[in-house]
Amino acid sequence: QVQLVESGGGLVQAGGSLRLSCAASGGTFSRYTVGWFRQTPGKEREFVAGISWFGSSTDHADFVKGRFTISRDNAKNTVYLQMNNLKPEDTAVYYCAARSSHSPRRNGFEYDYWGQGTQVTVSS
């Protein structure tokens, strides 16, 4: 059983940056693929980025490529999402999720564990 806790959200102006963290406890963290997802009211949850066990493979949604970067530090049991050049449309609750397999997936239903989420608000 893996517990995930997100942090680092907040209010930022357009063009600014935030770094989200996803801290894990329980289980062998290096054996879990981790994904970041986001959701706004009235919209479906959408995949943002994912990273494989040791970070050798990453996947980023097209709408964040060049702006967001996912990374992980298994020694700290933490996955990060560096978000640069933020836009108002990036406003959402961001969730991290984990699945016990090697490769990241874009479908949230393939993830077994979820955090509570952290709010990101980008003002124009």
Side-chain angles (χ1 to χ4, degrees):
Q1 186 83 8
V2 174
Q3 292 81 42
L4 303 172
V5 178
E6 302 94 337
S7 62
L11 174 64
V12 64
Q13 289 188 333
S17 298
L18 286 173
R19 188 177 79 159
L20 304 184
S21 298
C22 173
S25 60
T28 303
F29 183 62
S30 60
R31 291 292 187 179
Y32 288 88
T33 289
V34 175
W36 282 99
F37 294 79
R38 68 186 188 185
Q39 189 167 25
T40 55
K43 294 182 66 177
E44 292 187 355
R45 179 180 60 200
E46 60 183 356
F47 171 82
V48 176
I51 189 165
S52 62
W53 285 355
F54 297 102
S56 58
S57 175
T58 62
D59 183 20
H60 295 79
D62 287 345
F63 56 80
V64 302
K65 282 182 179 177
R67 300 190 300 124
F68 294 8
T69 303
I70 191 171
S71 62
R72 69 189 296 163
D73 184 342
N74 286 344
K76 296 182 178 180
N77 286 354
T78 302
V79 170
Y80 304 98
L81 184 68
Q82 177 67 45
M83 306 188 296
N84 298 328
N85 191 22
L86 282 159
K87 304 175 181 180
E89 52 264 41
D90 294 319
T91 295
V93 177
Y94 284 72
Y95 300 90
C96 66
R99 64 190 297 264
S100 56
S101 68
H102 176 263
S103 300
R105 292 288 187 267
R106 295 190 170 201
N107 188 338
F109 292 104
E110 297 190 62
Y111 288 77
D112 304 306
Y113 307 102
W114 290 82
Q116 294 300 305
T118 185
Q119 176 71 47
V120 171
T121 303
V122 185
S123 63
S124 58

